[in-house]
Amino acid sequence: MIQINFPNFISFIRLAVSPIFYLFFTSQNTELVNLSCWLFILSAITDTIDGWAARKFGIVTRWGEFLDPLADKALTTFAFIAFVQKGIFPLWMVLIIIIRDVISTWLRIVGLVKQSPLQTSLSAKIKTTFQMLFISYVLILVYLKNNFAPSILNPTAIDNLIYSTFTYLLALIITFMALYSLTGYVVRYGNFIKKVKKS
């Protein structure tokens, strides 16, 4: 049974916001695009809040440990898919990240069923933080372009940042981080299966 507490509620909110962000960001309405930028950044901040609250008040639960990364995956996946549609993020990289997230989520579900949930690895936490920062960086540029160009900022210069080699390299780093963290999950799951067979 899912335990509803403050941290889990925050995770549910982040999960629910994910498709709304996507719809707003990919719309042709500038105001909705602007709102989507704030929705993502505020949602990314809640990722820190729910984890802190769970540890601070001693309400860490198995469902919370499952929902928190699931909400993160949903939020970043919708963002990456939206970026693909805008030509910001290469499709092949997003496919690798999605496949990685599907596999890691499946392993988590198996772990819950077997009463031995997989803990989020350090590499996965770093990857998620890097993804959130990268997406926020792009969204801030989009917001600046929508609200301060061309009167204050040069829209071409902002576009050159959004679609730059630097952005591509950051996306490439995220893809490799996703593959690395997936390797860790697979190895840990393999060790878990070996222990089960021996017992």
Side-chain angles (χ1 to χ4, degrees):
M1 183 177 180
I2 299 178
Q3 297 170 287
I4 302 298
N5 52 41
F6 176 70
N8 289 355
F9 176 74
I10 294 298
S11 294
F12 272 122
I13 293 298
R14 192 159 64 255
L15 193 61
V17 164
S18 301
I20 297 174
F21 159 81
Y22 170 81
L23 291 174
F24 284 6
F25 187 76
T26 55
S27 72
Q28 300 301 315
N29 187 311
T30 302
E31 292 302 319
L32 290 180
V33 173
N34 290 338
L35 180 57
S36 74
C37 296
W38 285 108
L39 275 177
F40 182 92
I41 292 173
L42 292 175
S43 297
I45 293 173
T46 66
D47 181 37
T48 301
I49 295 174
D50 60 10
W52 171 84
R55 293 186 296 272
K56 176 70 174 179
F57 301 106
I59 46 179
V60 177
T61 64
R62 288 187 175 182
W63 276 112
E65 291 177 341
F66 176 77
L67 284 172
D68 181 43
L70 179 64
D72 293 340
K73 290 181 179 66
L75 187 62
T76 54
T77 297
F78 274 108
F80 287 143
I81 293 174
F83 284 2
V84 168
Q85 290 184 233
K86 298 287 186 177
I88 301 170
F89 208 107
L91 176 60
W92 68 270
M93 292 187 190
V94 173
L95 289 176
I96 289 175
I97 293 171
I98 291 175
I99 292 171
R100 177 268 177 205
D101 287 347
V102 169
I103 294 174
S104 64
T105 300
W106 177 77
L107 293 177
R108 285 182 175 279
I109 293 173
V110 172
L112 282 174
V113 172
K114 294 182 178 294
Q115 301 297 312
S116 183
L118 289 174
Q119 300 295 321
T120 303
S121 65
L122 177 60
S123 62
K125 291 179 180 179
I126 294 174
K127 171 197 67 71
T128 299
T129 300
F130 197 81
Q131 287 180 336
M132 295 287 194
L133 291 174
F134 168 80
I135 296 169
S136 297
Y137 159 74
V138 173
L139 293 179
I140 288 171
L141 290 176
V142 171
Y143 185 83
L144 290 175
K145 179 183 176 181
N146 287 344
N147 293 277
F148 298 100
S151 58
I152 299 176
L153 299 174
N154 186 335
T156 302
I158 297 177
D159 275 338
N160 288 341
L161 284 174
I162 295 174
Y163 299 95
S164 65
T165 302
F166 176 69
T167 300
Y168 182 87
L169 290 175
L170 290 178
L172 193 60
I173 291 172
I174 287 173
T175 305
F176 281 116
M177 291 176 74
L179 288 173
Y180 179 79
S181 64
L182 175 61
T183 302
Y185 277 118
V186 172
V187 170
R188 289 163 60 198
Y189 180 74
N191 292 336
F192 167 73
I193 292 299
K194 290 178 181 179
K195 290 181 180 179
V196 171
K197 289 182 178 179
K198 289 180 180 179
S199 60

